[in-house]
Amino acid sequence: GAVVSQHPSRVICKSGTSVKIECRSLDFQATTMFWYRQFPKQSLMLMATSNEGSKATYEQGVEKDKFLINHASLTLSTLTVTSAHPEDSSFYICSASGPSASPTYEQYFGPGTRLTVT
Amino acid sequence: QKEVEQDPGPLSVPEGAIVSLNCTYSNSAFQYFMWYRQYSRKGPELLMYTYSSGNKEDGRFTAQVDKSSKYISLFIRDSQPSDSATYLCAMMLSGGYNKLIFGAGTRLAVHP
């Protein structure tokens, strides 16, 4: 159990366009979802935390108008990178946690989405 | 100073060796300590978690926490080539959907 999926796994887009990444909890209700960014050979950096039905809480230095996060249901959160630029190219990973996950503080990670902006 | 320090390696060991991975932290308020394994181009998977000082064992893996020294370790016994991955330590202030603070990750290669 506790499977998290992401779609797409890989996306290439042109500079200036927007791209949406989906994160789904497949077998549990995720009251909280987290979005991370990972550069090559570096650790995960938390971008934002979203609770179902609420506005996301962004970490310091993350542009909320550029990285739009929506957590409309207990099984789906989306990250939209708006007006993407080459420096936005990265590996984006989501994780999910919720009362039906066990232990409750555990975050279950998705497989990640590789974004390349040309 | 980073909240969580971890040597990025890489660490290369022969099959069967005992591997020791370590992290130090500065925030004494951290209560939960985790070790994640991440294969290339994949999301992290939880290996072990603990919330108290001492040792916790699970098969070939042993997690050790020393809160007085703000130091945690992961030991892998009888290492296998399939253990080759990046190992990330992570810490949380308290339970219940709180954010994880990750170390930089240590890249481990176990060669036959």
Side-chain angles (χ1 to χ4, degrees):
Chain A
V3 179
V4 176
S5 69
Q6 274 184 251
H7 179 79
S9 59
R10 182 185 291 264
V11 59
I12 300 173
C13 69
K14 291 181 184 271
S15 186
T17 62
S18 295
V19 62
K20 180 184 286 187
I21 302 169
E22 291 187 350
C23 176
R24 293 181 185 272
S25 57
L26 299 184
D27 51 4
F28 70 102
Q29 293 184 326
T31 50
T32 305
M33 286 187 168
F34 304 83
W35 285 95
Y36 295 85
R37 185 173 181 176
Q38 187 176 33
F39 290 105
K41 299 181 181 180
Q42 294 189 29
S43 190
L44 284 75
M45 291 185 59
L46 180 66
M47 299 174 65
T49 303
S50 72
N51 293 297
E52 185 264 337
S54 303
K55 286 186 178 180
T57 301
Y58 290 81
E59 293 299 300
Q60 191 173 15
V62 177
E63 299 177 61
K64 60 182 179 182
D65 293 331
K66 181 170 187 60
F67 299 100
L68 302 178
I69 292 171
N70 183 279
H71 191 168
S73 78
L74 286 173
T75 59
L76 174 64
S77 177
T78 60
L79 167 67
T80 301
V81 183
T82 63
S83 187
H85 288 111
E87 56 264 32
D88 297 325
S89 298
S90 189
F91 193 50
Y92 292 87
I93 306 176
C94 72
S95 70
S97 185
S100 55
S102 178
T104 54
Y105 52 79
E106 181 168 351
Q107 292 182 26
Y108 298 92
F109 285 82
T113 296
R114 171 86 46 201
L115 170 64
T116 303
V117 184
T118 60
Chain B
Q1 181 190 9
K2 292 181 182 178
E3 282 191 284
V4 180
E5 298 276 2
Q6 183 177 10
D7 186 340
L11 186 60
S12 181
V13 301
E15 183 175 356
I18 296 175
V19 176
S20 173
L21 305 166
N22 311 294
C23 288
T24 59
Y25 61 96
S26 57
N27 190 344
S28 58
F30 284 132
Q31 295 187 22
Y32 290 86
F33 305 90
M34 289 85 162
W35 284 96
Y36 286 83
R37 178 174 62 196
Q38 185 178 25
Y39 291 111
S40 182
R41 299 188 181 90
K42 301 290 185 183
E45 57 176 323
L46 181 66
L47 276 178
M48 299 191 72
Y49 70 91
T50 185
Y51 52 85
S52 59
S53 284
N55 294 353
K56 182 176 181 179
E57 192 173 315
D58 184 2
R60 296 185 295 112
F61 298 90
T62 299
Q64 189 175 77
V65 174
D66 182 347
K67 287 189 175 181
S68 62
S69 301
K70 300 192 185 69
Y71 188 90
I72 69 170
S73 300
L74 178 70
F75 298 96
I76 307 174
R77 290 184 298 280
D78 188 25
S79 55
Q80 302 294 311
S82 58
D83 294 328
S84 299
T86 295
Y87 290 81
L88 300 137
C89 64
M91 304 180 189
M92 186 186 293
L93 288 174
S94 62
Y97 330 131
N98 283 289
K99 65 180 184 181
L100 290 169
I101 307 299
F102 282 90
T106 300
R107 285 186 293 134
L108 171 67
V110 181
H111 52 86

